[in-house]
Short mmCIF file of all heavy atoms in Angstrom, two decimals:
data_model
loop_
_atom_site.label_atom_id
_atom_site.label_comp_id
_atom_site.label_asym_id
_atom_site.label_seq_id
_atom_site.Cartn_x
_atom_site.Cartn_y
_atom_site.Cartn_z
N ALA H 30 -8.44 63.15 -13.80
CA ALA H 30 -7.10 62.85 -14.01
C ALA H 30 -6.29 64.23 -14.19
O ALA H 30 -5.23 64.22 -13.64
CB ALA H 30 -7.00 62.13 -15.39
N LEU H 31 -6.94 65.32 -14.67
CA LEU H 31 -6.31 66.61 -14.71
C LEU H 31 -5.99 67.17 -13.37
O LEU H 31 -4.88 67.67 -13.12
CB LEU H 31 -7.10 67.60 -15.45
CG LEU H 31 -7.22 67.34 -17.04
CD1 LEU H 31 -8.28 68.30 -17.53
CD2 LEU H 31 -5.90 67.67 -17.70
N GLN H 32 -6.97 66.87 -12.43
CA GLN H 32 -6.74 67.40 -11.05
C GLN H 32 -5.92 66.40 -10.18
O GLN H 32 -5.57 66.68 -9.04
CB GLN H 32 -8.07 67.54 -10.39
CG GLN H 32 -8.89 68.63 -11.20
CD GLN H 32 -10.35 68.80 -10.70
OE1 GLN H 32 -10.73 68.13 -9.63
NE2 GLN H 32 -11.21 69.59 -11.34
N ASP H 33 -5.78 65.20 -10.85
CA ASP H 33 -5.07 64.14 -9.92
C ASP H 33 -5.70 63.79 -8.65
O ASP H 33 -5.03 63.54 -7.66
CB ASP H 33 -3.40 64.51 -9.71
CG ASP H 33 -2.64 63.29 -9.63
OD1 ASP H 33 -3.00 62.28 -10.14
OD2 ASP H 33 -1.51 63.47 -9.17
N GLY H 34 -7.01 63.88 -8.76
CA GLY H 34 -7.76 63.71 -7.57
C GLY H 34 -8.48 62.41 -7.60
O GLY H 34 -8.24 61.46 -8.50
N PRO H 35 -9.54 62.13 -6.81
CA PRO H 35 -10.24 60.84 -6.76
C PRO H 35 -11.04 60.61 -8.11
O PRO H 35 -11.54 61.61 -8.62
CB PRO H 35 -11.18 61.00 -5.53
CG PRO H 35 -11.31 62.48 -5.28
CD PRO H 35 -10.08 63.06 -5.76
N MET H 36 -11.15 59.48 -8.51
CA MET H 36 -11.79 59.16 -9.77
C MET H 36 -13.33 58.96 -9.44
O MET H 36 -13.71 58.63 -8.46
CB MET H 36 -11.17 57.85 -10.38
CG MET H 36 -9.68 57.87 -10.67
SD MET H 36 -9.41 59.13 -11.82
CE MET H 36 -10.17 58.71 -13.31
N PRO H 37 -14.17 59.18 -10.51
CA PRO H 37 -15.62 59.03 -10.33
C PRO H 37 -15.93 57.52 -10.09
O PRO H 37 -15.17 56.64 -10.46
CB PRO H 37 -16.13 59.41 -11.78
CG PRO H 37 -15.10 60.32 -12.37
CD PRO H 37 -13.74 59.65 -11.85
N PRO H 38 -17.07 57.20 -9.39
CA PRO H 38 -17.36 55.95 -9.01
C PRO H 38 -17.52 55.03 -10.42
O PRO H 38 -17.98 55.52 -11.37
CB PRO H 38 -18.74 56.02 -8.37
CG PRO H 38 -18.81 57.44 -7.87
CD PRO H 38 -17.97 58.19 -8.78
N GLY H 39 -16.97 53.87 -10.25
CA GLY H 39 -17.11 52.92 -11.41
C GLY H 39 -16.00 53.13 -12.37
O GLY H 39 -15.97 52.46 -13.50
N THR H 40 -15.05 54.05 -12.18
CA THR H 40 -13.93 54.35 -13.16
C THR H 40 -12.72 54.08 -12.60
O THR H 40 -12.53 53.93 -11.30
CB THR H 40 -14.13 55.73 -13.78
OG1 THR H 40 -13.87 56.71 -12.74
CG2 THR H 40 -15.48 55.93 -14.34
N SER H 41 -11.61 53.95 -13.25
CA SER H 41 -10.28 53.95 -12.78
C SER H 41 -9.40 54.93 -13.51
O SER H 41 -9.76 55.38 -14.64
CB SER H 41 -9.78 52.51 -12.97
OG SER H 41 -9.78 52.15 -14.38
N ARG H 42 -8.25 55.28 -12.87
CA ARG H 42 -7.47 56.22 -13.43
C ARG H 42 -6.63 55.65 -14.65
O ARG H 42 -6.22 54.61 -14.50
CB ARG H 42 -6.41 56.64 -12.37
CG ARG H 42 -5.45 57.82 -12.81
CD ARG H 42 -4.45 58.18 -11.60
NE ARG H 42 -5.27 58.61 -10.50
CZ ARG H 42 -5.85 59.85 -10.35
NH1 ARG H 42 -5.71 60.77 -11.26
NH2 ARG H 42 -6.52 60.12 -9.32
N PRO H 43 -6.61 56.39 -15.73
CA PRO H 43 -5.92 55.84 -16.84
C PRO H 43 -4.32 55.95 -16.58
O PRO H 43 -3.86 57.01 -16.56
CB PRO H 43 -6.38 56.85 -18.03
CG PRO H 43 -6.70 58.04 -17.25
CD PRO H 43 -7.34 57.69 -15.87
N VAL H 44 -3.81 54.75 -16.63
CA VAL H 44 -2.30 54.65 -16.45
C VAL H 44 -1.86 53.66 -17.46
O VAL H 44 -2.61 52.84 -17.96
CB VAL H 44 -1.99 54.26 -15.04
CG1 VAL H 44 -2.36 55.21 -13.98
CG2 VAL H 44 -2.58 52.81 -14.77
N GLY H 45 -0.64 53.87 -17.78
CA GLY H 45 -0.01 52.91 -18.66
C GLY H 45 0.70 51.66 -18.05
O GLY H 45 1.41 51.94 -17.10
N ASP H 46 0.43 50.42 -18.43
CA ASP H 46 1.17 49.22 -17.81
C ASP H 46 1.37 48.23 -18.97
O ASP H 46 0.40 47.25 -19.19
CB ASP H 46 0.33 48.70 -16.75
CG ASP H 46 0.99 47.52 -16.11
OD1 ASP H 46 2.22 47.33 -16.31
OD2 ASP H 46 0.40 46.74 -15.25
N GLY H 47 2.38 48.36 -19.78
CA GLY H 47 2.51 47.49 -20.91
C GLY H 47 2.80 48.34 -22.21
O GLY H 47 2.81 49.57 -22.19
N LEU H 48 2.87 47.57 -23.31
CA LEU H 48 3.05 48.23 -24.61
C LEU H 48 1.91 49.00 -25.03
O LEU H 48 0.76 48.38 -25.17
CB LEU H 48 3.57 47.24 -25.52
CG LEU H 48 3.93 47.71 -27.04
CD1 LEU H 48 5.08 48.63 -26.87
CD2 LEU H 48 4.27 46.60 -28.05
N GLU H 49 1.94 50.31 -25.46
CA GLU H 49 0.84 51.07 -25.71
C GLU H 49 1.19 52.17 -26.69
O GLU H 49 2.26 52.71 -26.71
CB GLU H 49 0.23 51.74 -24.49
CG GLU H 49 -1.14 52.45 -24.76
CD GLU H 49 -1.72 53.08 -23.49
OE1 GLU H 49 -2.34 52.31 -22.81
OE2 GLU H 49 -1.49 54.22 -23.22
N ASN H 50 0.36 52.31 -27.74
CA ASN H 50 0.54 53.42 -28.78
C ASN H 50 -0.78 53.93 -29.00
O ASN H 50 -1.63 53.35 -29.71
CB ASN H 50 1.28 52.89 -30.03
CG ASN H 50 1.65 53.88 -30.91
OD1 ASN H 50 0.87 54.76 -31.19
ND2 ASN H 50 2.81 53.73 -31.52
N ILE H 51 -0.99 55.20 -28.52
CA ILE H 51 -2.28 55.84 -28.59
C ILE H 51 -2.69 56.12 -30.04
O ILE H 51 -3.81 55.87 -30.50
CB ILE H 51 -2.43 57.05 -27.84
CG1 ILE H 51 -2.24 56.78 -26.32
CG2 ILE H 51 -3.69 57.77 -28.11
CD1 ILE H 51 -3.17 55.94 -25.68
N LEU H 52 -1.73 56.55 -30.83
CA LEU H 52 -2.04 56.98 -32.27
C LEU H 52 -2.27 55.71 -33.07
O LEU H 52 -3.24 55.70 -33.82
CB LEU H 52 -0.91 57.76 -32.84
CG LEU H 52 -0.56 59.10 -32.26
CD1 LEU H 52 0.62 59.77 -32.85
CD2 LEU H 52 -1.79 60.06 -32.29
N ALA H 53 -1.59 54.68 -32.88
CA ALA H 53 -1.79 53.39 -33.66
C ALA H 53 -2.87 52.53 -33.08
O ALA H 53 -3.31 51.61 -33.79
CB ALA H 53 -0.44 52.69 -33.65
N GLY H 54 -3.34 52.91 -31.83
CA GLY H 54 -4.42 52.08 -31.18
C GLY H 54 -3.87 50.81 -30.59
O GLY H 54 -4.69 49.94 -30.16
N LEU H 55 -2.50 50.68 -30.44
CA LEU H 55 -1.93 49.48 -29.84
C LEU H 55 -2.03 49.52 -28.35
O LEU H 55 -1.64 50.44 -27.66
CB LEU H 55 -0.49 49.34 -30.18
CG LEU H 55 0.29 48.19 -29.76
CD1 LEU H 55 -0.24 47.01 -30.46
CD2 LEU H 55 1.78 48.29 -30.05
N GLY H 56 -2.65 48.57 -27.83
CA GLY H 56 -2.90 48.33 -26.43
C GLY H 56 -4.03 49.08 -25.92
O GLY H 56 -4.27 49.19 -24.65
N THR H 57 -4.78 49.86 -26.81
CA THR H 57 -5.99 50.59 -26.34
C THR H 57 -7.19 49.87 -26.67
O THR H 57 -7.21 48.65 -27.25
CB THR H 57 -6.04 51.96 -26.99
OG1 THR H 57 -6.27 51.67 -28.43
CG2 THR H 57 -4.83 52.61 -26.84
N GLY H 58 -8.43 50.22 -26.34
CA GLY H 58 -9.61 49.64 -26.78
C GLY H 58 -9.82 49.45 -28.14
O GLY H 58 -10.78 48.65 -28.57
N ARG H 59 -9.16 50.20 -29.10
CA ARG H 59 -9.39 50.11 -30.50
C ARG H 59 -8.51 48.80 -31.10
O ARG H 59 -8.75 48.42 -32.13
CB ARG H 59 -8.73 51.34 -31.20
CG ARG H 59 -9.60 52.56 -30.88
CD ARG H 59 -9.04 53.84 -31.51
NE ARG H 59 -9.72 54.96 -31.29
CZ ARG H 59 -9.47 56.14 -31.74
NH1 ARG H 59 -8.31 56.33 -32.53
NH2 ARG H 59 -10.25 57.23 -31.40
N ASP H 60 -7.61 48.39 -30.25
CA ASP H 60 -6.76 47.16 -30.59
C ASP H 60 -7.54 46.00 -30.45
O ASP H 60 -8.02 45.53 -29.28
CB ASP H 60 -5.55 47.15 -29.70
CG ASP H 60 -4.56 46.05 -30.15
OD1 ASP H 60 -4.88 45.30 -31.11
OD2 ASP H 60 -3.57 45.89 -29.60
N LYS H 61 -7.81 45.25 -31.48
CA LYS H 61 -8.78 43.98 -31.51
C LYS H 61 -8.11 43.04 -30.56
O LYS H 61 -8.85 42.12 -29.97
CB LYS H 61 -8.91 43.45 -32.86
CG LYS H 61 -9.71 44.34 -33.77
CD LYS H 61 -9.95 43.87 -35.17
CE LYS H 61 -10.84 44.77 -36.12
NZ LYS H 61 -10.97 44.15 -37.44
N ALA H 62 -6.72 42.97 -30.52
CA ALA H 62 -6.13 41.89 -29.80
C ALA H 62 -6.37 42.19 -28.25
O ALA H 62 -6.40 41.18 -27.50
CB ALA H 62 -4.61 41.96 -29.97
N SER H 63 -6.79 43.39 -27.84
CA SER H 63 -6.96 43.59 -26.41
C SER H 63 -8.31 43.04 -25.96
O SER H 63 -8.54 42.90 -24.79
CB SER H 63 -6.98 45.11 -26.21
OG SER H 63 -8.20 45.72 -26.92
N HIS H 64 -9.15 42.50 -26.93
CA HIS H 64 -10.42 41.91 -26.56
C HIS H 64 -10.22 40.41 -26.45
O HIS H 64 -11.25 39.80 -26.25
CB HIS H 64 -11.41 42.45 -27.52
CG HIS H 64 -11.76 43.78 -27.59
ND1 HIS H 64 -12.52 44.44 -26.56
CD2 HIS H 64 -11.33 44.86 -28.44
CE1 HIS H 64 -12.63 45.73 -26.84
NE2 HIS H 64 -11.80 46.01 -27.96
N THR H 65 -9.06 39.90 -26.74
CA THR H 65 -8.88 38.51 -26.59
C THR H 65 -8.58 38.08 -25.15
O THR H 65 -7.75 38.74 -24.41
CB THR H 65 -7.61 38.11 -27.44
OG1 THR H 65 -7.77 38.40 -28.79
CG2 THR H 65 -7.40 36.50 -27.36
N GLY H 66 -9.21 37.00 -24.69
CA GLY H 66 -9.10 36.59 -23.34
C GLY H 66 -9.46 35.11 -23.20
O GLY H 66 -9.77 34.37 -24.20
#
Side-chain angles (χ1 to χ4, degrees):
L31 285 169
Q32 299 170 8
D33 212 15
M36 301 302 297
T40 66
S41 59
R42 184 178 304 280
V44 295
D46 184 14
L48 185 63
E49 184 177 283
N50 188 315
I51 297 296
L52 294 179
L55 183 63
T57 69
R59 295 180 181 178
D60 187 356
K61 293 180 180 180
S63 66
H64 298 279
T65 302

